[in-house]
């Protein structure tokens, strides 16, 4: 956060101080801002006062107010207010309630398993592949409405500074679709929700026969389940390397996969999972030959099978005995 200060001249300002109230984002009520090249400040002595704030990992999404006061030794003050938007899961709608499958973290040093939390979905980003490792979201009828498809594919500016930000044009002429992980159709409650699914961090190079065939069929099936009174926790991702597009920047996956856990609508979801809870996965080839009309059920597997493929641990917060039963069960519905 930065505040640009224009010192007074009559008489000249001395002893300038900038203090912010960061309690709404988990910080101090009297946080000093700096103009000495530390604490996030870029250039000492340029009258741009800065503070690099870390948002606690357990803070919920929404709007937060940050206020600040600028003062000088001559007794002059200026009060400032800024509204920040915290991109984090909404209360009671955390798609990682049952566990973080790869133990992704929001540490920029963890660049190939980098956790990004958004109101609409959460993801683990892989800088070296320029795709997500996985994307997690929850769908029920509260997420479904009549907002139109936005088609506003664009770079994700939430990526750390200096990381390549994939452009929509990077897929042009590649022979691969900009394949959504969290689908547009699962986020139609509002235009901002739908627009969020078109960030390129939610995309992978997907074979058209996959994306427009069994993949889309399965997306529609999970929305049918939601409309029947269920809530579905979905984690979707990629595996393998079949080459690259965009001058080598973006890796083409060999397969795409999903795991789902299905519960009747309710509250206290973690405590409601039992040995009869329905959970399964799909693994779909992302290379030819693939018939677009092949039913999605032909690619159905156990959750265990997706864990073996990826090395991830799904639903790790569910008690071990229950987790083992639902993950090895073959789905027949």
């Amino acid at each position: 956060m930065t505040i640009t200060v224009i010192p007074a001249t009559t008489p000249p300002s001395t002893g300038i101080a900038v203090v912010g109230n960061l309690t709404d984002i988990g910080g101090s009520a009297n946080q000093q801002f700096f103009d000495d090249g530390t604490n996030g400040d870029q250039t000492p002595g340029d009258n741009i006062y800065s503070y690099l704030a870390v948002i606690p990992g357990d803070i919920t999404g929404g709007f937060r107010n940050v206020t600040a006061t600028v003062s000088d030794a001559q007794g002059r003050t200026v009060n400032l207010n800024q509204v920040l938007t915290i991109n984090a899961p909404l209360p009671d709608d955390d798609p990682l309630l049952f566990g973080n499958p790869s133990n992704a973290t929001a540490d920029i040093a963890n660049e190939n398993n980098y956790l990004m939390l958004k109101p609409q979905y959460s993801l683990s980003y892989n800088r070296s592949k320029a795709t997500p490792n996985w994307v997690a979201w929850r769908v029920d009828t509260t997420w479904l409405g009549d907002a139109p498809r936005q088609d506003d594919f664009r770079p994700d500016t939430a990526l750390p500074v200096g990381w390549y930000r994939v452009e929509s044009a990077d897929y042009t002429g590649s022979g691969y679709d900009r394949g959504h992980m969290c689908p547009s159709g699962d986020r139609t409650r509002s235009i901002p929700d739908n627009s969020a699914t078109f960030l390129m961090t939610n995309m992978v190079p997907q074979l058209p026969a996959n994306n427009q065939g069994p993949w889309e069929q399965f997306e529609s099936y999970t929305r049918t389940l939601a409309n029947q009174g269920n809530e579905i926790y979905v984690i979707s991702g990629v595996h393998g390397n079949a080459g690259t597009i965009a001058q080598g920047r973006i890796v083409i996956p060999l397969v795409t996969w999903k795991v789902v856990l299905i519960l009747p609508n309710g509250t206290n979801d973690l405590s409601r999972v039992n040995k009869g809870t329905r959970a399964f996965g799909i693994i779909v080839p992302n290379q030819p030959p693939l018939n677009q009309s092949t039913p999605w059920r032909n690619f159905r597997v156990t959750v265990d099978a997706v864990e073996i493929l990826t090395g991830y641990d799904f639903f790790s917060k569910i008690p071990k005995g229950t987790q083992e039963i639902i993950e090895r069960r073959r789905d027949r519905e």
Side-chain angles (χ1 to χ4, degrees), residues 67-96:
T67 61
T69 300
V70 181
S71 61
D72 66 10
Q74 288 68 44
R76 290 170 289 217
T77 62
V78 176
N79 295 315
L80 306 167
N81 182 72
Q82 179 69 50
V83 178
L84 302 181
T85 301
I86 303 298
N87 283 327
L90 300 174
D92 302 318
D93 202 36
D94 183 1
L96 298 179

Side-chain angles (χ1 to χ4, degrees), residues 145-182:
D146 57 7
R149 181 182 168 97
Q150 294 304 293
D151 279 320
D152 53 345
F153 295 93
R154 63 197 185 282
D156 192 339
T157 57
L159 285 171
V161 174
W163 291 22
Y164 181 70
R165 295 173 178 175
V166 175
E167 304 269 355
S168 176
D170 286 333
Y171 282 64
T172 301
S174 69
Y176 289 88
D177 288 353
R178 296 163 296 190
H180 284 70
M181 292 289 93
C182 177

Side-chain angles (χ1 to χ4, degrees), residues 139-141 144 186 217-234 260-265 278-280 296-297 300 331 333:
V139 61
D140 64 7
T141 53
L144 305 179
D186 281 6
Q217 296 171 28
F218 191 53
E219 292 172 348
S220 296
Y221 176 70
T222 56
R223 286 192 290 273
T224 298
L225 292 175
N227 284 314
Q228 291 173 346
N230 297 293
E231 51 183 307
I232 302 94
Y233 287 81
V234 191
V260 296
L261 185 146
I262 302 152
L263 290 171
N265 287 337
R278 188 182 179 197
F280 65 97
W296 70 261
R297 286 179 173 84
R300 184 167 40 182
D331 189 73
E333 293 188 38

